[in-house]
Amino acid sequence: MAQGSYVEQDFTRDTNYIGDRILAEPDPAKGPGSDTPVGEQEWPVEAGRYHLVVARACPWANRAIIVRRLLGLEGAISMGVAGPTHDADSWTFDLDEGHLDPVLQIPRIKDAYEARVPGYPRGITVPAVVDIPSGQVVTNDFPWITYDMSGQWRDHHREGAPDLWPDELRAEMDEVNKRVYTEVNNGVYRCGFAGTQESYDAAYERLWTAMDWLEERLSTRRYLVGEHITEADVRLFTTLARFDAAYHGHFKCNRSKLTEMPVLWAYARDLFTTPGFGDTTDFVHIKAHYYGVHRDINPTGVVPLGPDLSGWAEPHGRESLGGSPFAPGATAPGPVPERERVPVEHNPHVDPATGLVRTS
């Protein structure tokens, strides 16, 4: 998960990531082992070479899980899943046998950061892409990870993979993504980690101004930008999926629950029941992380039993607005690979036989 901290009054997110890129046509002069500084190097697209390390609790990592699944990159980029809780040092692979990632054979993602930059001084975050041969982190720059999955890995996309960045929509997507990121994705953290009443009040007003804007925008269109799902929808969904489970109470974003905002609630259910979205959502991991790790906010570490999750697969009625999840020629991804399925006890709408969400 991306790192942040209290800074006198306002929450500030550390956005200084390892910004290397994995490109279809990298510049050999900027490759690993060159004199190009870490963070500016270019690595080659190569199926089977890279391991995507995620935590299902983390909204930024959940983006990468969804995009990888929508594009059908499971066979080209393997995935390791860290447990939902971590200490101040690192995310750990406590879900795996022997508490070792089965591909990298390391107990903590910190080991891959240290392999790249000994004494790595910044936050140990997910998602992170690791070069399997060297065991080194290539990048943890989460917006570029998913953007490059769409643009640079096209030769490895599944047949029927959607275009999540249509050329004709990019300018509008950039504008919408910027507001969603600053005011909603990051806005909930700004509320949750506010250091004073004044900073919290300001953060709360900013968040709900943006939520009201989204409620209005999505009242006349099925998706955020265009007639079909784009990465803009992926980026918003991961915050909405965590809203009632964590942000409403734990982060004090409590003007309204998601279930009390009719447009956003229907929009979230529309996406949740689309393959790639709800079938990657692990509510148990989400709650375990936020309530168990943020002891400065929740000192007891007690994890709530709610909220009621029964409504997520109810009919949403969004078809009446037009559009469709996927453009002509694109299709939904099929069953989730067995090793990557969310347990039904973590998401009651998942079909254990396929890993897909069962609709009402």
Side-chain angles (χ1 to χ4, degrees):
M1 185 172 290
Q3 301 293 303
S5 62
Y6 295 102
V7 179
E8 294 185 354
Q9 295 184 347
D10 297 322
F11 170 78
T12 300
R13 183 172 298 281
D14 181 356
T15 57
N16 190 352
Y17 303 111
I18 299 175
D20 285 12
R21 302 275 302 279
I22 301 174
L23 304 176
E25 297 181 0
D27 182 348
K30 296 182 178 179
S34 70
D35 292 335
T36 302
V38 171
E40 300 175 18
Q41 294 180 9
E42 298 181 3
W43 299 64
V45 165
E46 183 180 327
R49 176 169 178 173
Y50 303 102
H51 195 55
L52 174 67
V53 176
V54 299
R56 293 192 185 277
C58 171
W60 321 99
N62 198 178
R63 290 184 186 184
I65 299 171
I66 294 171
V67 169
R68 173 179 173 271
R69 174 150 160 68
L70 289 174
L71 299 177
L73 289 171
E74 294 98 327
I77 305 172
S78 60
M79 186 171 77
V81 181
T85 60
H86 61 77
D87 56 25
D89 200 29
S90 181
W91 296 85
T92 59
F93 296 106
D94 50 296
L95 303 176
D96 294 306
E97 185 176 356
H99 292 190
L100 295 175
D101 178 272
V103 171
L104 302 175
Q105 290 295 300
I106 56 175
R108 312 165 73 83
I109 185 58
K110 179 180 180 179
D111 296 336
Y113 278 84
E114 294 276 359
R116 182 74 190 280
V117 181
Y120 185 74
R122 312 199 72 85
I124 306 298
T125 65
V126 291
V129 178
V130 179
D131 176 50
I132 296 171
S134 67
Q136 299 179 0
V137 166
V138 174
T139 177
N140 64 337
D141 197 343
F142 64 91
W144 282 108
I145 289 173
T146 52
Y147 183 81
D148 286 341
M149 282 182 180
S150 286
Q152 301 297 323
W153 287 82
R154 288 185 184 274
D155 288 347
H156 301 279
H157 289 182
R158 65 178 175 86
E159 184 177 355
D163 183 356
L164 299 177
W165 285 91
D167 288 340
E168 68 275 13
L169 299 178
R170 291 193 178 207
E172 185 179 5
M173 285 180 66
D174 286 344
E175 181 180 349
V176 169
N177 285 341
K178 181 178 181 180
R179 186 169 185 183
V180 168
Y181 171 72
T182 59
E183 305 304 301
V184 180
N185 300 146
N186 206 40
V188 293
Y189 285 84
R190 193 180 297 113
C191 289
F193 289 105
T196 67
Q197 187 67 51
E198 291 76 14
S199 60
Y200 167 75
D201 291 351
Y204 179 95
E205 292 301 324
R206 283 182 64 177
L207 170 66
W208 287 106
T209 295
M211 293 289 278
D212 288 340
W213 162 69
L214 288 167
E215 184 85 350
E216 181 178 0
R217 180 180 180 90
L218 288 165
S219 66
T220 58
R221 59 176 70 206
R222 188 169 178 183
Y223 302 108
L224 269 178
V225 183
E227 297 295 310
H228 312 287
I229 289 168
T230 66
E231 190 170 317
D233 299 295
V234 176
R235 293 182 177 197
L236 177 57
F237 173 80
T238 58
T239 294
L240 297 182
R242 288 155 177 76
F243 202 87
D244 288 3
Y247 303 146
H248 178 271
H250 182 59
F251 277 178
K252 309 180 191 71
C253 303
N254 62 350
R255 192 197 75 179
S256 307
K257 295 178 181 176
L258 176 65
T259 55
E260 295 168 345
M261 302 190 74
V263 172
L264 276 172
W265 176 222
Y267 166 80
R269 299 198 314 274
D270 189 1
L271 293 175
F272 184 84
T273 53
T274 300
F277 289 83
D279 54 51
T280 66
T281 302
D282 189 317
F283 291 108
V284 168
H285 280 199
I286 289 167
K287 292 192 298 181
H289 174 76
Y290 284 97
Y291 288 95
V293 170
H294 299 157
R295 293 301 182 94
D296 45 352
I297 299 175
N298 185 41
T300 65
V302 172
V303 179
L305 296 178
D308 180 4
L309 302 173
S310 61
W312 272 99
E314 291 180 355
H316 49 75
R318 298 282 293 175
E319 303 92 339
S320 63
L321 295 173
S324 60
F326 304 105
T331 59
V336 182
E338 187 171 358
R339 66 187 180 280
E340 296 183 4
R341 291 176 187 170
V342 174
V344 67
E345 59 268 25
H346 292 193
N347 181 338
H349 302 290
V350 168
D351 181 347
T354 63
L356 298 169
V357 167
R358 295 174 291 194
T359 57
S360 301

